[in-house]
Structures are given as structure tokens and as C-alpha cells.
């Protein structure tokens, strides 16, 4: 067995974004709009989860969506197709959204008329965790095919989020994925995180997630 | 159907890395070492593909591996466990490797004694595509559960790579994934890319990929 050498390589490219994010959140409170920032790897099912959430909450809340992508508008088109206001933010190569970009997108959605705005962040488990978008709550998706070791590799993302959706649980039949190990790894990083086991494809578990989100929206808009 | 609005949000955070990468590549040529940069989303199977590639090529080539991760050393430990020199690069939060980080890792591996060094880049389809690591060739993995729309959303990554491995083809039985559509989308971006359909888990297709890589290493080390 060869020896593993560990080398710390580091570079600081982060700008201070926190002040503007706090101001954005204060505006949202005054407008009684809840902003959810949803993050994950590419292909974890963000758009499908958002569509499932819309289906469960659209009778109770007015909802808008901001889709962030490097390129293309395919996700915003899927949201708009079900009659929900959607804006596509093209980051032109950038790997995350920051609060100034969120503010640009919100302006287009007219958030004063919306109870809930969902950001689908760029598919990436690294950079989006580092930038406060101004959201009221942060949620992330880990899908079963990605593997149960991800909390070990991307600890900041799992530490930053208020909620974790373990998606594609219909894949548990063929994937080597230990749900209990994930829960243990995640709660070690973040004891207060809410964990939901869902399949956006089959709908399993989605009602429990939607109920939690609904209560969070009510708590914010009535505060 | 609501209208989709498209807003261009942009910020430039890239430093010029190309000169140093070219110099690193020139050193590798003199040392007759081939450097492969392997990129993908988190959980696409980079480590499993590397382990499968090692098994097929270790009798013909001397191999080393550099594992890049935000945190943890789990991947380098898996490589070292099969007796291959491995170094773990911890980026301390950074989302990609650049050529100076690669150079730091290479120094530890003593590349003059190695025919092939494989970089497992940070799991991310965005940032690693923007930074030349100094590698001779770039390869990426797209795994079936991630979905066939990824070339539309991460065009730079698919444009940058010399080879694409479509991994986890054993999931095709339950995933909604159109292999031919992916090939069409990818070759539209990058007509010269080599595409391999593999399952690192079952071994299917891995020999074809390993043969291609072997020929590339020979061409470089004998040039």
C-alpha cells in the first residue's frame, strides 16, 4: 500500500457578498416573500423537485422561479410550461450566483406579488455554498446515484443548508447507497438540518417536504 | 405558458494560467510522462473509472494518481490501497485545479519515473473546464443518472475535452437517458471528441477506453 501525501493548495477568489445579501433578505421580509435557494450537483433532479413542489403548493402560494445556468434556458422553459413565472439567469460561465445576481433576477419577477420564489442555483456542490444569495433558507439535493460519500467531500455545502433532500430513492434498489450513513455524516456536520427522502419521479416523500416548506413560508411571511 | 426572460449576469474571476500550463506540458514531454486530467460532476464515478483503468494498464505502464478534493483523502486512499502512488490535493474550498497546483502535486509523485499520471479533478462541471492544468489530454465522465441534457447546460466542459466516458451504462435499464441524443449534442459542440460507453462497475467498455488511452500515452512518450 502506497502512502498518501496531503498537500494544501489554496487560493482566495471570494469577494465579500454578505452585506448585500443581508439587505436583500430585509427587503424580502418587508415584501413578505420567501426566497429558497436550491443547490445540488448537475443532474440530481433540481428542476424535477421544483416542478413537484409547485404541483403541491401552487393552490396555496403564489410561486416564481429563478433558474441559473451557465448557458441554455431549458429549465426555465420547463417551469414556464406549467404556467409559473420563471426567469433564466445565464451566468456566462460563472459557477454560482451571488446576491447581486439574485437581485437582478428578482427585479424581473416582481416579488411583491409572490409568496415563494425558488432559485435553482448552478449545478455545483462547491462554489454556490460559498456565496449567500440573500435567500431565507438554503436547501440541497443529494441524489442516490451520486453516492453516500458526498458529505465527506463537500462538507461546506452540507453544513450551509437548512434542508437536504435525498432524491431518486427509487434508485435504492440498484445503487450501493447507505441512507443511514448519509444521515449520520450530515448530522455530524450540521445537527439542525432537516432531511427528506424523496423521489421527484414517483412523488414519494414529496408531500412531507412540501409541508415543511409551506410552514417555513408561513412563518416568514407572517413574521 | 409564462414568458421566459433571459438575463446575462457575469463576473470575471479568472486569472491567466495558460503560460504556466504550457511550460508544465513542455516539462512533461521532456520527462516522457503523459498527464491525463479527468473531470466530472460529483458522483459520476471518477475514482472507479481510474481504478478500472489502472487494472487494465498497470502491467504496461507505470502509473501515478493525483486526487483533488475540497476536503478528505478518501479517494487517494482507495488508489493507494491497490499499490499505486497517489497524492491527495486538498484545495481548501477551491472548485478547481490550476497548473500551479498540478505542479505542486507532480513534484510529490516524481513523474520522471511514471509513464502516466491521472488527475482526478474536483467534482464540478463548471470551473475545472476553465483552467488548463497542464495536462496532455482532458477527459470527462457523464454518468447516465445525471441526464442527457448536460451538454446543453455545461457546453464549455464538453467542448474542452478530448474524450468523454458515458459511465454507469448499467443504469440505462431504469434511467431515461438517450445515448444517441448525447452523442449528437456533444459532437455538435466538439466534432473531434472520442466517446466511450462504459460501466466501471461491470467493466463493460473499459477495455476500449484503456486501449485508446494506452495509444495516446505511447504517442506522447515516443514523440
Amino acid at each position: 500500500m502506497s502512502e498518501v501525501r496531503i498537500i494544501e493548495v489554496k487560493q482566495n477568489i471570494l469577494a465579500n457578498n454578505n452585506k448585500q445579501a443581508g439587505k436583500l433578505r430585509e427587503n424580502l421580509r418587508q415584501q413578505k416573500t420567501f426566497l429558497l435557494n436550491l443547490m445540488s450537483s448537475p443532474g440530481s433532479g433540481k428542476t424535477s423537485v421544483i416542478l413537484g413542489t409547485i404541483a403541491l403548493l401552487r393552490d396555496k402560494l403564489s410561486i416564481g422561479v429563478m433558474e441559473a445556468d451557465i448557458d441554455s434556458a431549458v429549465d426555465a422553459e420547463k417551469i414556464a410550461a406549467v404556467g409559473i413565472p420563471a426567469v433564466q439567469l445565464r451566468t456566462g460561465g460563472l459557477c454560482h450566483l451571488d446576491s447581486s445576481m439574485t437581485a437582478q433576477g428578482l427585479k424581473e419577477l416582481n416579488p411583491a406579488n409572490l409568496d415563494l420564489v425558488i432559485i435553482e442555483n448552478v449545478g455545483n456542490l462547491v462554489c454556490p455554498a460559498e456565496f449567500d444569495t440573500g435567500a431565507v433558507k438554503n436547501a440541497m439535493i443529494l441524489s442516490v446515484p451520486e453516492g453516500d460519500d458526498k458529505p465527506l467531500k463537500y462538507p461546506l455545502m452540507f453544513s450551509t443548508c437548512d434542508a437536504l433532500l435525498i432524491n431518486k430513492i427509487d434508485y435504492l434498489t440498484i445503487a450501493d447507497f447507505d441512507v443511514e450513513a448519509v444521515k449520520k455524516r450530515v448530522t455530524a456536520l450540521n445537527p439542525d438540518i432537516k432531511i427528506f427522502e424523496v423521489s421527484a419521479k414517483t412523488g414519494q416523500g414529496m408531500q412531507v417536504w412540501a409541508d415543511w416548506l409551506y410552514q417555513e413560508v408561513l412563518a416568514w411571511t407572517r413574521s
Side-chain angles (χ1 to χ4, degrees), chain A residues 13-166:
Chain A
I13 54 166
L14 302 180
N16 188 351
N17 168 60
N18 290 350
K19 199 174 158 186
Q20 193 173 358
K23 203 178 145 199
L24 178 60
R25 220 165 0 252
E26 194 41 48
N27 289 345
L28 289 168
R29 187 186 286 281
Q30 285 165 14
Q31 294 176 342
K32 299 188 178 304
T33 303
F34 185 96
L35 181 62
L36 177 76
N37 175 30
L38 185 60
M39 300 176 280
S40 82
S41 294
S44 300
K46 288 185 291 302
T47 312
S48 302
V49 164
I50 291 172
L51 286 167
T53 307
I54 287 170
L56 292 168
L57 294 180
R58 65 185 303 162
D59 291 342
K60 300 196 255 184
L61 300 172
S62 57
I63 304 174
V65 174
M66 290 197 280
E67 292 285 343
D69 257 313
I70 303 301
D71 207 342
S72 96
V74 292
D75 290 337
E77 285 161 7
K78 285 184 199 161
I79 303 296
V82 300
I84 291 290
V87 59
Q88 181 81 43
L89 304 175
R90 287 213 288 227
T91 65
L94 200 68
C95 52
H96 65 275
L97 287 186
D98 64 21
S99 57
S100 72
M101 301 173 201
T102 308
Q104 289 172 58
L106 272 176
K107 217 188 295 176
E108 297 290 319
L109 281 176
N110 195 10
N113 297 330
L114 298 173
D115 304 311
L116 168 63
V117 175
I118 304 175
I119 302 171
E120 180 175 336
N121 214 313
V122 181
N124 185 327
L125 282 187
V126 186
C127 321
E130 297 169 355
F131 290 86
D132 188 341
T133 58
V136 179
K137 295 281 175 183
N138 295 297
M140 68 170 293
I141 300 172
L142 172 66
S143 66
V144 165
E146 292 171 68
D148 54 26
D149 61 346
K150 294 300 161 289
L152 303 174
K153 296 175 150 194
Y154 304 94
L156 181 64
M157 177 60 79
F158 288 85
S159 305
T160 303
C161 285
D162 304 287
L164 164 66
L165 291 95
I166 302 178

